Amino acid sequence: MADKLKVTLVKSPIGAVPKQKKTVEALGLRKLNKTVELPDNDAVRGMIWHVKHLVKVEEI
C-alpha cells in the first residue's frame, strides 16, 4: 500500500445520490478538478470506493 492517495474530483456530484454528495464533500473535494492528498487507510479507501465513478485516484 502507498503512503498517501491523490484524489481528484473529475465528475460533478450534482446528479448523484445525496449520500454520495456528502461522501465527496467529506473527502475534502469541493470543486471540479480539485485534488486532495489523503492518508491511505481502509476508511478513506471505503469512501473512495463508494464514489469511484466521480473521482480519479493515484497512489503517491
Side-chain angles (χ1 to χ4, degrees), residues 10-25:
V10 294
K11 189 170 186 283
S12 173
I14 287 175
V17 177
K19 185 176 179 181
Q20 292 174 348
K21 289 182 188 180
K22 295 283 187 182
T23 302
V24 168
E25 194 170 321

Side-chain angles (χ1 to χ4, degrees), residues 12 19 23 32 37 41 50:
S12 173
K19 185 176 179 181
T23 302
L32 205 56
E37 288 187 11
N41 57 39
H50 281 284

Side-chain angles (χ1 to χ4, degrees), residues 12 18 21 40 45 48:
S12 173
K21 289 182 188 180
D40 187 7
R45 284 197 178 253
I48 290 169

